[in-house]
Each structure stands twice: as structure tokens, then as C-alpha cells.
Amino acid sequence: MKEQPARVRWEQHTQRPLLVLAVAFAVAYAVPIAAPDHGDALAFGCALVEWIVWGAFAVDYLVRVVLAEQRGHFVRTHWLDLIAVILPMIQPFRLLRVVSTLLLVGRRARMASQVRLTTYVGGAVVGLLMFGSLAVLSVERNAPDGNIHTLGDALWWSFTTMTTVGYGDHAPTTGLGRLIAVGLMLSGIALLGVVTANIAAWFISRFERDNAAEERQTAAIKELTAQVQALRAQVAALSGESATAPDAVAHPQVVPQPAALTATAGSSAPVGTAPETGQSP
């Protein structure tokens, strides 16, 4: 068996720990925003968790770069992870670390294409709703003309924005809040396109499987029909041969006999019998 590269083994062993760290980062990010009246101790603890998670992401990226066989290619193909490590812990850019970690875990998971796509879409929808709501709430809560002051308002605004409904009852007023809104709009349109394409691909695959099954059944019916016709031809041939043989037995050929034998047989009479004459005795 061929041994797996060191980077692949590292990624397999760190997949679950990174997922746990991503969840811890999400909680540490959400708690201070959802509970604005928290104490200094809670704020310090959440900030410490965020820095620890960021450090773990940075170490993981550096180890993967070192273990990669082609480091330049690895850096080019994992640029989102690099951005998540380089950007400082400033809102809302630290959300990219969570997104990149979820993408990393998704790339390492070995699932079927449709299952993987469904997992990506579901995780992206939940993540964008949650973190988009928290991000816009953090920047709009204290805005002078802002109308998003609670987590419920932020969730409602994120949902209507991602679905491109836009009722207009809640809207960001700051530049950073509008930037978040643009990101949610584009993400919602992209996710809607992915879902529509996935559903269409599923229907097309089902139709193709049904057509293939019908073609196989049609081919089998044609083959059976040809076999039946061949059997009928053989039966007809055998019936013709058997009909010729009884006719020869029922009507045997009459062999003609010589004329002398016929005359002798006609003139013979029993011994002691006088021949008949025209005179009476």
C-alpha cells in the first residue's frame, strides 16, 4: 500500500480539532455581541479564546506549508487560509477565519458530491445568517441613525437580505454595515444559484437513469423477439420434415407385374373341374 503524504496525514489528524476550534471561535465571537452588558472578565475570556484559536489556525497553516511537496502551489491554491491567518483580529475580517476553517474541514471530508454540496450550502446559510447578524449588530447598534438594535432585528434583516426580499423595515446606515449587506446579498444570490443548479442536476440524473433503464428493457425485448422468431422458424422446419414421412407410408408405390404372369393367373382353374361351354349336358 502506498503511504500517504505527511501533509495529508496531518490534515486527517487535525480535522476534528479544527472543527472544535471553529465552534469555540464562533461562541467567543457571539457572546460579547449578544450580551452587551457582559463584564470585563467575560470580554477578556472571549478575546483570549479568539487569539488562541487564531494562533492554532496560524500554526496549522504553517505546518501544512512546510509539509507540502510543492509549497508555491499550496500557497496559491489555499489563499483563503492565508488571508484568514494574516488579517488581524478586527471586525468583520475575523469572520474569514471561521469561513476558511469550515471550507478546510469540508475539503478534507470524504463524501459524495451531492452530500458534500448540501453540507456546504447548509453550513454556509447558517454561518452567514448567524455571523452576518452578529457583525451588522455590532456596527449598527450604536449608530446615531441606526435601526438595528437587537439580535432579533439583526437576524430578520440578515434573512431578508440573503433571500433578496428586502422589506426595508431594517437597513444598515454605516459604511461597514452596508458593506456587510452587499456581502450577504451576493452570498444569497450565489447560494440560490447553487441550490437551483443542484436540484436541476438531480432531476437530470434521475431522468438519465430512467432513460437508461427503458433502453435496457427495450433491448431485452428485441432480443427475446428475435429468439422467438428463430424458434418459430425451427419448429416450422421440423414440422415440414415430419409431414413428408407419413405421406410416403400411406401411399406406397404400386409395382407393375409382367403380362404373362397376369394371363396365367387369369386362366388357371381348380383340378377336376371341366371348362364351361355354351351347350347344356
Side-chain angles (χ1 to χ4, degrees), residues 78-254:
H78 295 76
W79 57 270
L80 187 59
D81 300 336
L82 178 61
I83 292 176
V85 172
I86 293 177
L87 289 177
M89 299 288 289
I90 300 177
Q91 298 177 353
F93 296 110
R94 59 183 180 179
L95 295 177
L96 293 176
R97 279 187 296 277
V98 179
V99 175
S100 63
T101 304
L102 294 176
L103 291 175
L104 176 62
V105 174
R107 286 197 299 268
R108 294 177 182 179
R110 296 180 179 179
M111 298 179 291
S113 59
Q114 291 187 349
V115 176
R116 184 172 60 248
L117 182 59
T118 304
T119 303
Y120 283 165
V121 171
V125 169
V126 175
L128 287 173
L129 281 175
M130 182 176 64
F131 290 108
S133 302
L134 294 173
V136 76
L137 180 61
S138 64
V139 299
E140 292 290 329
R141 173 181 288 160
N142 299 322
D145 299 329
N147 54 12
I148 301 175
H149 301 290
T150 63
L151 184 59
D153 295 339
L155 285 172
W156 171 251
W157 170 83
S158 297
F159 190 82
T160 57
T161 302
M162 283 191 62
T163 55
T164 65
V165 175
Y167 284 107
D169 51 351
H170 296 287
T173 58
T174 62
L176 190 55
R178 291 172 179 173
L179 182 62
I180 297 173
V182 171
L184 285 179
M185 293 175 191
L186 296 178
S187 301
I189 295 173
L191 289 175
L192 182 61
V194 170
V195 171
T196 304
N198 192 26
I199 295 175
W202 183 80
F203 277 110
I204 292 173
S205 63
R206 287 296 302 270
F207 292 152
E208 289 179 350
R209 287 198 297 268
D210 294 341
N211 292 334
E214 292 179 358
E215 290 178 357
R216 288 194 297 269
Q217 292 177 358
T218 304
I221 292 173
K222 290 181 178 179
E223 184 178 358
L224 289 175
T225 303
Q227 293 178 0
V228 170
Q229 292 176 354
L231 289 175
R232 286 181 176 178
Q234 293 179 1
V235 170
L238 293 175
S239 299
E241 293 177 359
S242 61
T244 304
D247 290 341
V249 174
H251 304 283
Q253 185 177 2
V254 179

